[in-house]
Amino acid sequence: MGDGITAVRQAYLHDRRVGRFVKFAALLSLFAFGFWSIDVLQIPIDRVLGMFGRVGNMVWQRLLPPDLVYATSASVIYAVLETIEMSLLGSFIGTLITLPLAWFAAWNLTPDRVFLYPMARLIIVVSRSLPSLMAAMLLVAVFGFGPFAGMLALVVGTIGFAGKLMAEQAETINMGPVDAVRATGAGKLKVFIYGIFPQLKPSWYGIVIYNWDARLRSSTILGFVGAGGIGLHLRERISVLEYHGAMGIIVIIIVLVVASEAMSHFLRKRYY
Amino acid sequence: MSRVIVAAEGNPLRDRGTLLKRYAFYAVVLCAVTAMGVHLIVFGTDWGRMGTFADVFGIIMNLAPSLAFMPKIIGPLLQTLLMAFWGTLLAVLLSIPVFYLAASNITPYMMLTYPLGRGLIVVSRSTHEIIFALIYVAALGLGPLPGILALASRSVGFMAKTTAEAIENIDRGPIEAIEATGAGPIKRFLFGVVPQVLPVFIGNAIFQLDINIRRAAILGMVGAGGIGLYFAEQMKIYEYGNASACVLGVVLLVIIGEFVSNRVRTKLISG
Protein backbone atom coordinates (compact mmCIF):
# COMPACT_ATOMS: atom_id res chain seq x y z
CA MET A 1 0.00 0.00 0.00
CA GLY A 2 2.72 2.41 1.04
CA ASP A 3 4.66 1.42 -2.07
CA GLY A 4 1.73 2.40 -4.26
CA ILE A 5 1.52 5.84 -2.70
CA THR A 6 5.26 6.32 -3.07
CA ALA A 7 5.01 5.31 -6.72
CA VAL A 8 2.20 7.80 -7.34
CA ARG A 9 4.11 10.49 -5.51
CA GLN A 10 7.23 9.75 -7.50
CA ALA A 11 5.34 9.81 -10.78
CA TYR A 12 3.85 13.17 -9.77
CA LEU A 13 7.26 14.60 -8.89
CA HIS A 14 8.67 13.23 -12.14
CA ASP A 15 5.85 14.83 -14.14
CA ARG A 16 6.41 18.11 -12.38
CA ARG A 17 10.12 17.98 -13.11
CA VAL A 18 9.47 17.22 -16.80
CA GLY A 19 6.88 20.01 -16.92
CA ARG A 20 9.35 22.47 -15.42
CA PHE A 21 12.00 21.40 -17.87
CA VAL A 22 9.67 21.85 -20.85
CA LYS A 23 8.62 25.28 -19.60
CA PHE A 24 12.23 26.30 -19.08
CA ALA A 25 13.23 25.06 -22.54
CA ALA A 26 10.29 26.90 -24.14
CA LEU A 27 11.18 30.13 -22.37
CA LEU A 28 14.84 29.75 -23.31
CA SER A 29 14.05 29.17 -26.98
CA LEU A 30 11.69 32.15 -26.97
CA PHE A 31 14.53 34.32 -25.68
CA ALA A 32 16.91 32.91 -28.29
CA PHE A 33 14.27 33.58 -30.95
CA GLY A 34 13.90 37.11 -29.59
CA PHE A 35 17.61 37.87 -29.87
CA TRP A 36 17.71 36.39 -33.35
CA SER A 37 14.69 38.56 -34.35
CA ILE A 38 16.34 41.70 -32.98
CA ASP A 39 19.32 40.85 -35.15
CA VAL A 40 17.25 40.13 -38.29
CA LEU A 41 14.99 43.16 -37.85
CA GLN A 42 17.97 45.37 -36.94
CA ILE A 43 16.16 46.90 -33.98
CA PRO A 44 18.27 49.58 -32.25
CA ILE A 45 18.32 48.66 -28.53
CA ASP A 46 18.97 52.21 -27.32
CA ARG A 47 15.79 53.31 -29.04
CA VAL A 48 13.80 50.52 -27.39
CA LEU A 49 14.99 51.72 -23.99
CA GLY A 50 14.09 55.35 -24.67
CA MET A 51 10.86 54.60 -26.49
CA PHE A 52 8.37 55.28 -23.70
CA GLY A 53 9.67 58.82 -23.25
CA ARG A 54 9.67 59.53 -26.95
CA VAL A 55 6.19 58.13 -27.64
CA GLY A 56 4.85 59.84 -24.51
CA ASN A 57 6.39 63.11 -25.59
CA MET A 58 4.92 62.69 -29.07
CA VAL A 59 1.43 61.98 -27.75
CA TRP A 60 1.25 64.54 -24.94
CA GLN A 61 3.04 67.47 -26.55
CA ARG A 62 2.70 67.15 -30.29
CA LEU A 63 -0.55 65.24 -30.84
CA LEU A 64 -2.68 66.49 -27.96
CA PRO A 65 -4.80 68.53 -27.91
CA PRO A 66 -6.46 67.68 -31.26
CA ASP A 67 -7.15 70.62 -33.56
CA LEU A 68 -10.93 70.25 -33.72
CA VAL A 69 -11.44 73.54 -35.57
CA TYR A 70 -9.54 72.13 -38.52
CA ALA A 71 -11.18 68.73 -38.10
CA THR A 72 -14.66 70.24 -38.52
CA SER A 73 -13.79 72.49 -41.45
CA ALA A 74 -15.73 72.13 -44.69
CA SER A 75 -13.05 70.26 -46.63
CA VAL A 76 -12.67 67.63 -43.91
CA ILE A 77 -16.42 67.16 -43.60
CA TYR A 78 -16.60 66.73 -47.37
CA ALA A 79 -13.85 64.11 -47.18
CA VAL A 80 -15.76 62.31 -44.43
CA LEU A 81 -18.86 62.22 -46.63
CA GLU A 82 -16.75 60.93 -49.50
CA THR A 83 -15.38 58.19 -47.24
CA ILE A 84 -18.89 57.12 -46.23
CA GLU A 85 -20.03 57.20 -49.85
CA MET A 86 -17.05 55.10 -50.93
CA SER A 87 -17.75 52.52 -48.24
CA LEU A 88 -21.46 52.32 -49.10
CA LEU A 89 -20.98 52.10 -52.85
CA GLY A 90 -18.01 49.72 -52.55
CA SER A 91 -19.99 47.43 -50.24
CA PHE A 92 -23.05 47.57 -52.49
CA ILE A 93 -21.24 46.73 -55.72
CA GLY A 94 -19.03 44.23 -53.90
CA THR A 95 -22.09 42.50 -52.45
CA LEU A 96 -23.69 42.21 -55.88
CA ILE A 97 -20.53 40.48 -57.15
CA THR A 98 -20.23 38.38 -54.01
CA LEU A 99 -23.75 36.92 -54.20
CA PRO A 100 -23.07 34.61 -57.16
CA LEU A 101 -19.51 33.95 -55.96
CA ALA A 102 -20.73 32.79 -52.54
CA TRP A 103 -23.28 30.55 -54.23
CA PHE A 104 -20.58 29.01 -56.44
CA ALA A 105 -18.16 28.68 -53.51
CA ALA A 106 -20.49 26.71 -51.23
CA TRP A 107 -19.71 23.02 -51.76
CA ASN A 108 -23.28 21.79 -51.18
CA LEU A 109 -24.95 24.31 -53.50
CA THR A 110 -22.45 25.01 -56.24
CA PRO A 111 -23.89 24.37 -59.69
CA ASP A 112 -20.57 23.07 -60.96
CA ARG A 113 -17.96 21.41 -58.76
CA VAL A 114 -15.26 20.99 -61.38
CA PHE A 115 -14.79 24.52 -62.70
CA LEU A 116 -16.97 27.13 -60.94
CA TYR A 117 -16.31 25.97 -57.36
CA PRO A 118 -12.48 26.16 -57.50
CA MET A 119 -12.62 29.41 -59.48
CA ALA A 120 -14.93 31.09 -56.95
CA ARG A 121 -12.82 29.79 -54.05
CA LEU A 122 -9.65 31.11 -55.66
CA ILE A 123 -11.15 34.56 -56.27
CA ILE A 124 -12.37 34.75 -52.66
CA VAL A 125 -9.09 33.52 -51.15
CA VAL A 126 -6.95 35.89 -53.23
CA SER A 127 -9.21 38.90 -52.54
CA ARG A 128 -9.11 38.02 -48.88
CA SER A 129 -5.35 37.82 -48.66
CA LEU A 130 -4.73 40.99 -50.65
CA PRO A 131 -4.19 43.88 -48.22
CA SER A 132 -6.62 46.66 -49.17
CA LEU A 133 -3.97 49.37 -49.15
CA MET A 134 -1.85 47.43 -51.67
CA ALA A 135 -4.90 46.77 -53.83
CA ALA A 136 -5.74 50.49 -53.67
CA MET A 137 -2.22 51.48 -54.71
CA LEU A 138 -2.30 49.15 -57.71
CA LEU A 139 -5.76 50.40 -58.68
CA VAL A 140 -4.61 54.02 -58.37
CA ALA A 141 -1.80 53.17 -60.79
CA VAL A 142 -4.36 51.83 -63.26
CA PHE A 143 -7.31 54.21 -62.83
CA GLY A 144 -5.66 57.37 -61.51
CA PHE A 145 -6.17 59.24 -58.25
CA GLY A 146 -9.64 59.63 -56.77
CA PRO A 147 -12.38 57.76 -54.98
CA PHE A 148 -13.05 55.45 -57.92
CA ALA A 149 -9.88 53.45 -57.29
CA GLY A 150 -10.65 53.39 -53.56
CA MET A 151 -14.14 52.12 -54.23
CA LEU A 152 -12.77 49.31 -56.38
CA ALA A 153 -10.35 48.39 -53.59
CA LEU A 154 -13.34 48.16 -51.25
CA VAL A 155 -15.12 45.94 -53.79
CA VAL A 156 -12.12 43.58 -53.65
CA GLY A 157 -12.21 43.72 -49.85
CA THR A 158 -15.92 42.91 -49.82
CA ILE A 159 -15.46 39.89 -52.09
CA GLY A 160 -12.82 38.49 -49.78
CA PHE A 161 -14.57 39.26 -46.51
CA ALA A 162 -18.26 38.72 -47.27
CA GLY A 163 -17.56 35.95 -49.80
CA LYS A 164 -15.94 33.68 -47.25
CA LEU A 165 -18.54 34.29 -44.52
CA MET A 166 -21.49 33.94 -46.92
CA ALA A 167 -20.16 30.70 -48.41
CA GLU A 168 -19.56 29.31 -44.91
CA GLN A 169 -23.15 30.14 -43.93
CA ALA A 170 -24.45 28.62 -47.14
CA GLU A 171 -22.75 25.34 -46.32
CA THR A 172 -24.80 24.99 -43.13
CA ILE A 173 -28.31 25.18 -44.64
CA ASN A 174 -31.00 22.52 -44.49
CA MET A 175 -31.16 20.73 -47.85
CA GLY A 176 -34.81 19.58 -47.41
CA PRO A 177 -36.51 22.69 -48.85
CA VAL A 178 -33.88 22.81 -51.59
CA ASP A 179 -34.70 19.26 -52.67
CA ALA A 180 -38.43 20.05 -52.45
CA VAL A 181 -38.09 23.00 -54.83
CA ARG A 182 -35.85 20.95 -57.10
CA ALA A 183 -38.50 18.19 -57.18
CA THR A 184 -40.98 20.64 -58.71
CA GLY A 185 -38.73 20.80 -61.75
CA ALA A 186 -37.38 24.27 -61.00
CA GLY A 187 -34.17 25.40 -62.66
CA LYS A 188 -30.97 26.23 -60.78
CA LEU A 189 -31.75 29.94 -60.43
CA LYS A 190 -35.27 29.24 -59.12
CA VAL A 191 -33.90 26.69 -56.67
CA PHE A 192 -31.58 29.39 -55.41
CA ILE A 193 -34.31 32.03 -55.12
CA TYR A 194 -37.01 29.86 -53.51
CA GLY A 195 -35.13 27.03 -51.80
CA ILE A 196 -31.80 28.51 -50.73
CA PHE A 197 -32.05 32.27 -50.35
CA PRO A 198 -34.94 32.36 -47.82
CA GLN A 199 -32.86 30.21 -45.45
CA LEU A 200 -29.81 32.42 -45.81
CA LYS A 201 -31.53 35.80 -45.71
CA PRO A 202 -31.03 36.62 -42.02
CA SER A 203 -27.39 35.58 -41.80
CA TRP A 204 -26.48 37.09 -45.17
CA TYR A 205 -28.09 40.42 -44.33
CA GLY A 206 -26.13 40.42 -41.08
CA ILE A 207 -22.92 39.71 -43.00
CA VAL A 208 -23.66 42.52 -45.47
CA ILE A 209 -24.09 45.02 -42.63
CA TYR A 210 -21.01 43.76 -40.81
CA ASN A 211 -19.06 43.98 -44.07
CA TRP A 212 -20.08 47.62 -44.54
CA ASP A 213 -18.80 48.35 -41.06
CA ALA A 214 -15.47 46.68 -41.86
CA ARG A 215 -15.18 48.49 -45.22
CA LEU A 216 -15.75 51.86 -43.56
CA ARG A 217 -12.87 51.05 -41.25
CA SER A 218 -10.53 50.32 -44.13
CA SER A 219 -11.79 53.21 -46.27
CA THR A 220 -10.59 55.71 -43.66
CA ILE A 221 -6.96 55.15 -44.70
CA LEU A 222 -7.30 54.50 -48.43
CA GLY A 223 -6.66 58.20 -49.04
CA PHE A 224 -3.07 57.55 -48.05
CA VAL A 225 -2.29 56.24 -51.49
CA GLY A 226 -4.52 58.81 -53.20
CA ALA A 227 -7.61 56.64 -53.38
CA GLY A 228 -10.06 59.18 -51.97
CA GLY A 229 -11.54 59.88 -48.57
CA ILE A 230 -10.33 61.24 -45.26
CA GLY A 231 -6.92 59.50 -45.37
CA LEU A 232 -5.56 62.10 -47.79
CA HIS A 233 -6.07 64.87 -45.23
CA LEU A 234 -4.35 62.82 -42.56
CA ARG A 235 -1.39 62.27 -44.84
CA GLU A 236 -1.20 65.97 -45.70
CA ARG A 237 -1.28 67.03 -42.04
CA ILE A 238 1.48 64.59 -41.18
CA SER A 239 3.69 65.52 -44.10
CA VAL A 240 3.57 69.20 -43.10
CA LEU A 241 4.22 68.11 -39.47
CA GLU A 242 0.91 69.61 -38.34
CA TYR A 243 0.29 66.94 -35.71
CA HIS A 244 -2.55 68.66 -33.87
CA GLY A 245 -4.53 68.72 -37.11
CA ALA A 246 -3.61 65.07 -37.72
CA MET A 247 -4.86 64.17 -34.25
CA GLY A 248 -8.10 66.05 -35.04
CA ILE A 249 -8.56 63.80 -38.09
CA ILE A 250 -7.77 60.72 -36.00
CA VAL A 251 -10.49 61.79 -33.54
CA ILE A 252 -12.92 62.20 -36.44
CA ILE A 253 -11.99 58.73 -37.73
CA ILE A 254 -12.51 57.15 -34.30
CA VAL A 255 -15.91 58.85 -33.97
CA LEU A 256 -16.87 57.67 -37.46
CA VAL A 257 -15.82 54.08 -36.81
CA VAL A 258 -17.48 53.91 -33.39
CA ALA A 259 -20.70 55.36 -34.83
CA SER A 260 -20.70 52.87 -37.69
CA GLU A 261 -20.04 50.00 -35.32
CA ALA A 262 -22.90 51.09 -33.07
CA MET A 263 -25.17 51.42 -36.08
CA SER A 264 -24.22 48.04 -37.51
CA HIS A 265 -24.72 46.46 -34.08
CA PHE A 266 -28.13 48.12 -33.77
CA LEU A 267 -29.26 47.06 -37.26
CA ARG A 268 -28.14 43.47 -36.74
CA LYS A 269 -29.83 43.23 -33.32
CA ARG A 270 -33.00 44.98 -34.42
CA TYR A 271 -33.72 43.27 -37.71
CA TYR A 272 -31.85 39.99 -38.01
CA MET B 1 -66.87 38.54 -54.43
CA SER B 2 -64.44 41.18 -53.33
CA ARG B 3 -62.15 38.54 -51.86
CA VAL B 4 -61.88 36.81 -55.20
CA ILE B 5 -60.96 40.09 -56.87
CA VAL B 6 -58.29 40.81 -54.26
CA ALA B 7 -56.91 37.32 -54.72
CA ALA B 8 -56.90 37.79 -58.46
CA GLU B 9 -55.01 41.05 -58.18
CA GLY B 10 -51.96 39.62 -56.51
CA ASN B 11 -50.45 37.35 -53.97
CA PRO B 12 -52.90 37.21 -51.05
CA LEU B 13 -50.11 36.36 -48.62
CA ARG B 14 -48.57 39.80 -49.02
CA ASP B 15 -50.60 42.82 -48.13
CA ARG B 16 -50.36 46.02 -50.10
CA GLY B 17 -48.68 48.09 -47.38
CA THR B 18 -45.76 45.70 -46.97
CA LEU B 19 -45.22 45.52 -50.71
CA LEU B 20 -45.43 49.29 -51.05
CA LYS B 21 -42.93 49.78 -48.24
CA ARG B 22 -40.60 47.27 -49.81
CA TYR B 23 -40.70 48.90 -53.25
CA ALA B 24 -40.24 52.35 -51.68
CA PHE B 25 -37.15 50.98 -49.91
CA TYR B 26 -35.79 49.57 -53.17
CA ALA B 27 -36.44 52.90 -54.91
CA VAL B 28 -34.59 54.83 -52.19
CA VAL B 29 -31.63 52.43 -52.33
CA LEU B 30 -31.53 52.67 -56.12
CA CYS B 31 -31.61 56.49 -56.06
CA ALA B 32 -28.90 56.63 -53.40
CA VAL B 33 -26.67 54.21 -55.29
CA THR B 34 -27.13 56.14 -58.53
CA ALA B 35 -26.40 59.46 -56.84
CA MET B 36 -23.26 58.11 -55.17
CA GLY B 37 -22.17 56.39 -58.34
CA VAL B 38 -22.51 59.59 -60.36
CA HIS B 39 -20.73 61.60 -57.69
CA LEU B 40 -17.81 59.20 -57.17
CA ILE B 41 -17.34 57.56 -60.55
CA VAL B 42 -18.34 60.26 -63.02
CA PHE B 43 -17.18 63.40 -61.20
CA GLY B 44 -14.66 61.95 -58.75
CA THR B 45 -12.41 60.35 -61.33
CA ASP B 46 -9.87 62.11 -63.50
CA TRP B 47 -10.92 60.47 -66.76
CA GLY B 48 -8.63 62.59 -68.92
CA ARG B 49 -5.58 61.47 -66.97
CA MET B 50 -6.53 57.82 -67.19
CA GLY B 51 -6.20 57.86 -70.97
CA THR B 52 -7.75 55.53 -73.47
CA PHE B 53 -8.80 51.96 -72.95
CA ALA B 54 -5.56 50.85 -74.61
CA ASP B 55 -3.49 52.81 -72.06
CA VAL B 56 -5.33 51.22 -69.16
CA PHE B 57 -4.93 47.80 -70.72
CA GLY B 58 -1.21 48.47 -71.19
CA ILE B 59 -0.79 49.30 -67.49
CA ILE B 60 -2.72 46.18 -66.49
CA MET B 61 -0.39 44.12 -68.69
CA ASN B 62 2.59 45.67 -66.86
CA LEU B 63 1.19 44.35 -63.61
CA ALA B 64 2.15 40.74 -64.35
CA PRO B 65 4.44 39.73 -61.45
CA SER B 66 8.09 39.56 -62.44
CA LEU B 67 9.46 36.29 -61.14
CA ALA B 68 13.05 37.52 -61.24
CA PHE B 69 12.24 39.82 -58.31
CA MET B 70 10.82 37.02 -56.16
CA PRO B 71 14.11 35.91 -54.49
CA LYS B 72 14.71 39.50 -53.34
CA ILE B 73 11.49 39.66 -51.34
CA ILE B 74 12.13 36.58 -49.18
CA GLY B 75 14.06 38.65 -46.63
CA PRO B 76 11.37 41.36 -46.30
CA LEU B 77 8.68 38.68 -46.08
CA LEU B 78 10.55 37.04 -43.21
CA GLN B 79 10.78 40.46 -41.57
CA THR B 80 7.03 40.90 -41.98
CA LEU B 81 6.41 37.52 -40.37
CA LEU B 82 8.68 38.34 -37.42
CA MET B 83 7.01 41.73 -36.96
CA ALA B 84 3.62 40.01 -36.87
CA PHE B 85 4.87 37.49 -34.30
CA TRP B 86 6.41 39.99 -31.90
CA GLY B 87 3.56 42.45 -32.35
CA THR B 88 1.07 39.73 -31.42
CA LEU B 89 3.12 38.56 -28.43
CA LEU B 90 3.37 42.14 -27.17
CA ALA B 91 -0.38 42.58 -27.67
CA VAL B 92 -1.05 39.40 -25.68
CA LEU B 93 1.05 40.70 -22.79
CA LEU B 94 -0.41 44.22 -22.93
CA SER B 95 -3.98 42.91 -23.08
CA ILE B 96 -3.69 41.30 -19.62
CA PRO B 97 -4.06 44.54 -17.61
CA VAL B 98 -6.62 45.87 -20.09
CA PHE B 99 -9.00 42.92 -19.83
CA TYR B 100 -8.53 42.92 -16.07
CA LEU B 101 -9.92 46.47 -16.07
CA ALA B 102 -12.56 45.87 -18.73
CA ALA B 103 -14.25 42.69 -17.43
CA SER B 104 -17.21 43.93 -15.39
CA ASN B 105 -17.08 41.07 -12.86
CA ILE B 106 -13.40 41.37 -11.86
CA THR B 107 -12.63 45.06 -12.44
CA PRO B 108 -11.39 46.64 -9.19
CA TYR B 109 -13.43 49.88 -9.23
CA MET B 110 -16.49 49.63 -11.42
CA MET B 111 -17.02 53.38 -11.72
CA LEU B 112 -13.45 54.22 -12.61
CA THR B 113 -11.49 51.33 -14.09
CA TYR B 114 -14.26 49.73 -16.17
CA PRO B 115 -14.78 52.79 -18.43
CA LEU B 116 -11.01 53.18 -18.66
CA GLY B 117 -10.57 49.60 -19.88
CA ARG B 118 -13.47 49.86 -22.31
CA GLY B 119 -12.16 53.19 -23.60
CA LEU B 120 -8.72 51.71 -24.29
CA ILE B 121 -10.38 48.85 -26.18
CA VAL B 122 -12.46 51.22 -28.32
CA VAL B 123 -9.47 53.42 -29.20
CA SER B 124 -7.32 50.41 -30.05
CA ARG B 125 -9.98 48.72 -32.16
CA SER B 126 -11.17 51.72 -34.13
CA THR B 127 -7.80 53.21 -35.06
CA HIS B 128 -6.28 51.74 -38.18
CA GLU B 129 -2.82 50.18 -37.83
CA ILE B 130 -1.47 52.66 -40.38
CA ILE B 131 -2.40 55.54 -38.07
CA PHE B 132 -0.63 53.91 -35.12
CA ALA B 133 2.36 53.26 -37.36
CA LEU B 134 2.48 56.92 -38.43
CA ILE B 135 2.53 58.09 -34.82
CA TYR B 136 5.24 55.62 -33.82
CA VAL B 137 7.32 56.34 -36.92
CA ALA B 138 7.14 60.06 -36.15
CA ALA B 139 8.25 59.38 -32.57
CA LEU B 140 10.82 56.61 -33.06
CA GLY B 141 12.06 56.84 -36.64
CA LEU B 142 11.88 54.33 -39.47
CA GLY B 143 12.22 50.57 -39.08
CA PRO B 144 10.39 47.52 -37.78
CA LEU B 145 10.22 48.73 -34.15
CA PRO B 146 7.36 51.22 -34.75
CA GLY B 147 5.68 48.53 -36.86
CA ILE B 148 5.75 46.03 -34.00
CA LEU B 149 4.36 48.65 -31.62
CA ALA B 150 1.64 49.59 -34.11
CA LEU B 151 0.57 45.95 -34.48
CA ALA B 152 0.56 45.51 -30.72
CA SER B 153 -1.53 48.66 -30.20
CA ARG B 154 -4.01 47.54 -32.80
CA SER B 155 -4.36 43.97 -31.50
CA VAL B 156 -4.65 44.80 -27.80
CA GLY B 157 -8.26 45.91 -28.25
CA PHE B 158 -9.41 42.67 -29.84
CA MET B 159 -7.53 40.45 -27.39
CA ALA B 160 -8.79 42.40 -24.37
CA LYS B 161 -12.36 42.60 -25.66
CA THR B 162 -12.76 38.90 -26.41
CA THR B 163 -11.03 37.88 -23.18
CA ALA B 164 -13.08 40.30 -21.07
CA GLU B 165 -16.25 38.87 -22.61
CA ALA B 166 -15.04 35.33 -21.89
CA ILE B 167 -14.32 36.30 -18.27
CA GLU B 168 -17.76 37.86 -17.93
CA ASN B 169 -19.33 34.57 -19.02
CA ILE B 170 -17.36 32.21 -16.78
CA ASP B 171 -18.79 29.71 -14.35
CA ARG B 172 -18.74 31.12 -10.78
CA GLY B 173 -18.55 27.66 -9.17
CA PRO B 174 -14.79 27.03 -9.29
CA ILE B 175 -14.07 30.54 -8.03
CA GLU B 176 -16.32 30.08 -5.02
CA ALA B 177 -14.71 26.72 -4.33
CA ILE B 178 -11.24 28.28 -4.37
CA GLU B 179 -12.47 31.19 -2.28
CA ALA B 180 -13.70 28.67 0.30
CA THR B 181 -10.14 27.36 0.72
CA GLY B 182 -9.13 30.85 1.85
CA ALA B 183 -7.27 31.84 -1.31
CA GLY B 184 -6.57 35.52 -1.97
CA PRO B 185 -7.61 37.47 -5.10
CA ILE B 186 -4.49 36.57 -7.10
CA LYS B 187 -4.87 32.83 -6.45
CA ARG B 188 -8.61 33.07 -7.18
CA PHE B 189 -7.77 34.61 -10.53
CA LEU B 190 -4.97 32.16 -11.35
CA PHE B 191 -6.83 28.96 -10.43
CA GLY B 192 -10.47 29.99 -10.87
CA VAL B 193 -10.51 32.29 -13.90
CA VAL B 194 -7.42 31.49 -15.97
CA PRO B 195 -8.15 27.78 -16.66
CA GLN B 196 -11.62 28.66 -17.91
CA VAL B 197 -10.58 31.34 -20.40
CA LEU B 198 -7.15 30.07 -21.47
CA PRO B 199 -8.33 28.05 -24.54
CA VAL B 200 -10.31 31.05 -25.84
CA PHE B 201 -7.36 33.31 -25.17
CA ILE B 202 -4.84 31.12 -27.01
CA GLY B 203 -7.23 30.59 -29.92
CA ASN B 204 -7.72 34.34 -30.28
CA ALA B 205 -3.98 34.98 -30.02
CA ILE B 206 -3.36 32.62 -32.94
CA PHE B 207 -6.18 34.28 -34.87
CA GLN B 208 -4.59 37.69 -34.24
CA LEU B 209 -1.21 36.39 -35.42
CA ASP B 210 -2.86 35.38 -38.67
CA ILE B 211 -4.54 38.82 -39.05
CA ASN B 212 -1.34 40.61 -38.06
CA ILE B 213 0.59 39.04 -40.94
CA ARG B 214 -1.85 40.83 -43.25
CA ARG B 215 -1.51 44.06 -41.28
CA ALA B 216 2.29 43.90 -41.09
CA ALA B 217 2.46 43.64 -44.86
CA ILE B 218 1.23 47.21 -45.39
CA LEU B 219 3.00 48.96 -42.51
CA GLY B 220 6.14 49.38 -44.59
CA MET B 221 4.23 51.78 -46.83
CA VAL B 222 4.57 54.40 -44.08
CA GLY B 223 8.12 53.39 -43.20
CA ALA B 224 7.45 50.86 -40.45
CA GLY B 225 9.42 47.93 -41.87
CA GLY B 226 8.54 44.75 -43.74
CA ILE B 227 7.53 44.04 -47.31
CA GLY B 228 5.36 47.16 -47.67
CA LEU B 229 8.43 49.35 -47.99
CA TYR B 230 9.71 47.39 -50.98
CA PHE B 231 6.25 47.43 -52.54
CA ALA B 232 5.91 51.22 -52.17
CA GLU B 233 9.45 51.77 -53.51
CA GLN B 234 8.82 49.67 -56.61
CA MET B 235 5.51 51.47 -57.20
CA LYS B 236 7.23 54.84 -56.98
CA ILE B 237 9.75 53.98 -59.69
CA TYR B 238 6.94 52.51 -61.85
CA GLU B 239 8.32 48.96 -61.66
CA TYR B 240 4.83 47.49 -61.59
CA GLY B 241 6.04 43.96 -62.28
CA ASN B 242 8.27 44.00 -59.21
CA ALA B 243 5.51 45.58 -57.12
CA SER B 244 3.04 42.89 -58.02
CA ALA B 245 5.71 40.28 -57.24
CA CYS B 246 5.66 41.75 -53.70
CA VAL B 247 1.86 41.49 -53.67
CA LEU B 248 2.04 37.88 -54.83
CA GLY B 249 4.50 37.13 -52.02
CA VAL B 250 2.17 38.71 -49.47
CA VAL B 251 -0.84 36.80 -50.79
CA LEU B 252 1.05 33.50 -50.55
CA LEU B 253 2.31 34.29 -47.04
CA VAL B 254 -1.17 35.24 -45.85
CA ILE B 255 -2.75 32.12 -47.37
CA ILE B 256 -0.16 29.88 -45.70
CA GLY B 257 -0.61 31.74 -42.41
CA GLU B 258 -4.38 31.38 -42.52
CA PHE B 259 -4.15 27.68 -43.34
CA VAL B 260 -1.73 26.98 -40.47
CA SER B 261 -3.73 29.10 -38.03
CA ASN B 262 -6.97 27.29 -38.92
CA ARG B 263 -5.29 23.91 -38.49
CA VAL B 264 -3.80 24.80 -35.11
CA ARG B 265 -7.06 26.30 -33.80
CA THR B 266 -9.10 23.27 -34.90
CA LYS B 267 -6.58 21.00 -33.13
CA LEU B 268 -6.77 23.22 -30.05
CA ILE B 269 -10.56 23.07 -29.88
CA SER B 270 -10.99 19.38 -30.70
CA GLY B 271 -8.22 17.99 -28.55
Side-chain angles (χ1 to χ4, degrees), chain B residues 87-151:
Chain B
T88 312
L89 195 66
L90 199 58
V92 166
L93 295 178
L94 288 176
S95 74
I96 293 171
V98 180
F99 72 63
Y100 178 65
L101 298 179
S104 61
N105 52 349
I106 59 165
T107 190
Y109 305 102
M110 189 64 192
M111 296 302 287
L112 196 70
T113 52
Y114 178 74
L116 178 70
R118 286 280 152 185
L120 284 174
I121 288 175
V122 166
V123 169
S124 160
R125 272 166 46 84
S126 37
T127 314
H128 201 277
E129 57 270 17
I130 286 282
I131 297 174
F132 280 123
L134 277 167
I135 295 174
Y136 291 130
V137 166
L140 301 171
L142 304 175
L145 175 64
I148 291 173
L149 293 179
L151 291 176

Side-chain angles (χ1 to χ4, degrees), chain A residues 50-240:
Chain A
M51 99 190 162
F52 292 104
R54 294 173 77 143
V55 172
N57 190 34
M58 175 83 197
V59 171
W60 294 113
Q61 308 207 331
R62 289 161 78 192
L63 284 170
L64 293 176
D67 184 354
L68 289 175
V69 177
Y70 167 73
T72 48
S73 65
S75 68
V76 174
I77 297 295
Y78 177 79
V80 168
L81 289 179
E82 195 178 71
T83 308
I84 296 173
E85 257 180 60
M86 262 163 62
S87 70
L88 283 170
L89 200 61
S91 310
F92 183 79
I93 297 175
T95 307
L96 290 188
I97 300 174
T98 308
L99 284 176
L101 277 178
W103 173 26
F104 297 158
W107 182 246
N108 54 342
L109 306 175
T110 185
D112 173 48
R113 287 186 181 181
V114 181
F115 179 71
L116 281 179
Y117 175 80
M119 279 308 286
R121 278 273 154 189
L122 186 71
I123 293 173
I124 289 174
V125 164
V126 170
S127 316
R128 202 176 144 71
S129 340
L130 192 63
S132 62
L133 210 57
M134 283 187 171
M137 208 165 177
L138 291 174
L139 287 162
V140 165
V142 176
F143 295 107
F145 292 104
F148 182 57
M151 194 208 74
L152 287 180
L154 295 177
V155 168
V156 174
T158 300
I159 292 172
F161 184 84
K164 183 184 179 232
L165 294 177
M166 283 177 162
E168 267 173 11
Q169 285 296 326
E171 281 172 351
T172 64
I173 65 166
N174 177 2
M175 291 305 278
V178 181
D179 290 335
V181 177
R182 202 172 276 152
T184 65
K188 276 178 179 166
L189 190 66
K190 288 213 164 149
V191 170
F192 181 76
I193 293 173
Y194 294 106
I196 298 167
F197 188 66
Q199 293 193 51
L200 288 171
K201 216 167 104 177
S203 59
W204 276 19
Y205 278 14
I207 292 167
V208 167
I209 295 168
Y210 185 32
N211 170 65
W212 167 70
D213 184 16
R215 281 327 101 200
L216 186 68
R217 245 165 234 249
S218 67
S219 72
T220 54
I221 46 103
L222 287 181
F224 253 91
V225 293
I230 186 88
L232 184 64
H233 288 261
L234 183 62
R235 189 193 186 130
E236 253 173 38
R237 288 298 104 185
I238 285 182
S239 58
V240 298

Side-chain angles (χ1 to χ4, degrees), chain A residues 5-25:
Chain A
I5 290 170
T6 317
V8 167
R9 186 177 157 71
Q10 257 169 9
Y12 167 71
L13 285 177
H14 176 75
D15 277 0
R16 207 165 72 165
R17 229 174 287 138
V18 169
R20 266 191 197 156
F21 178 74
V22 168
K23 267 183 206 160
F24 181 69

